[in-house]
Amino acid sequence: MRDVTAVMWFRRDLRLGDNPALLDAVAAGDGQVLGIFVLDPLLWERSGAARRTHLAASLRSLSKAMGGNLVVRRGDPAQVIPAVAEEIGARSVHIGADHGPYGQTRDGEVEGSLKCPLVVTGSPYAIAPGRIMNQQGRPYQVFTPYFRAWLEHGWRQPCEPPEQVKWLSVKGDELPDGAADDAGEQAALDNWRAYLDDVARYDDERNRPDLDSTSRMSIPLKYGELHPRTMLADLARKRSAGAEAYRRQLAWRDFCADLLARNPQAAWKPLRPEFERMQYDEPGALFDAWKEGRTGYPFVDAGMRQLAESGFVHNRVRMVVASFLVKDLHVHWKYGARWFMQSLRDGDLASNSLNWQWVAGCGADAAPYFRIFNPVGQGLKFDPDGEYVRRWVPELRHLDGKNAHEPWKNGGADGYPEPVVDHAEARREALRRYDAIR
Ligand code: FAD
């Protein structure tokens, strides 16, 4: 008789600790598990260099933690997973749920072509999409009541890593190349625990890109190097306004995933249908100026250059650059969202599209459309000494303090463009277009 074995198909859970799907695989395989990651060409092609590099580094780290036994195969998961399961005579294949539109279809296809069960345990969220309903049994459309219900619902405690696993191996493809100091489960845990010491400051400082005081945990969360459950358990031991504010942000992440799972079309289409009629301009030279950080608005340009150079942008700046694209340049948010997905290391369809929709005023939890960010005012408020702008826009380094936000008032700057649009005029035009669809 063949040994009992199981397959653990890693996807957005590149870790061994606090991984219930892995525990199930170990139990089902009587300790003998084949761990696999499928390099799906469809997803790989769509990811930009920043995401590919982090993924590669994270896979290398996971494989090391498995004694070098992570199997990586390229191809269509609907062919790769059943083939591998048959090769080792697996009793079951184990996964954490993927609630995204592509993941749902893909997992359905894999299940259809497998000869053994596909067992789904857990999700990348504190509370899985679809769980939280209002008293009428309907999903929430607005964040604040969702958040209240989220707190009331609660989440499980983290679980321990499996004690003894005999990792099986079959022939795989080469691991992709890529190195990043902060990739992998151990780095994620170390960085998180170091950040926790400072979480009390989060409430006051989280909107200040110059202070660089947010956690950057969106990156390990994206790849599942760390589960939000682990973070929430640690936060529960901290009693500060900062810890509470941080917990609320983790609920935003769950809320975005919940909205996308229930409205898969929201990845690229507005949740509020009247916005289908909104008049946008074709993305042309102004869109290129935005992507390259050459709009002549220092706070916007600093953000877009930070994105291009580092694959990361502070949340406040994401909101300002997104608003600028949609409401000052009148370009459809989907082009900006696509550029973000290509450039961000934490690029995540649910958080990205739903936040873009929020800024563009067409999301479920719509910020009033007429509340349009002033790109200079936002800079003066959240980067009061111009530090952030000077860090990313070298042409402005000769301007001290807040003068860096308004080079046109301070003698200009060599090689730095004039503003590509007049904000007051662009704002009026945005409101005119909004009036036409109301
Ligand atoms: P912290 O301030 O330390 O927050 C802690 C965690 O809370 C984050 O790691 C993240 O998981 C979660 N979080 C915080 N704010 C939000 C939010 N508004 N929505 C959802 N989750 C949140 N986040 C992504 O993870 N991937 C994306 O592709 C993405 N695209 C965005 C696009 C736009 C236009 C905007 C306005 C926001 C986007 N966000 C996205 C949300 C947010 O900007 C990032 O999660 C955050 O900046 C990451 O930095 P941090 O980990 O230091 O955040």
Side-chain angles (χ1 to χ4, degrees), residues 47-62:
S47 310
R51 263 196 291 155
R52 287 185 198 171
T53 303
H54 192 97
L55 175 63
S58 192
L59 291 174
R60 284 171 181 272
S61 165
L62 178 64

Side-chain angles (χ1 to χ4, degrees), residues 124 155 275 292:
W155 37 84
F275 275 81
E292 289 160 17

Side-chain angles (χ1 to χ4, degrees), residues 15 76 97 140 149 177 184 192 226 240 345-346 372 425 427:
R15 63 180 188 280
D76 175 358
Y140 287 99
D177 272 333
W192 165 242
L226 187 66
S240 66
R345 202 137 65 102
D346 65 21
I372 295 178
E425 223 168 80
R427 180 176 183 280

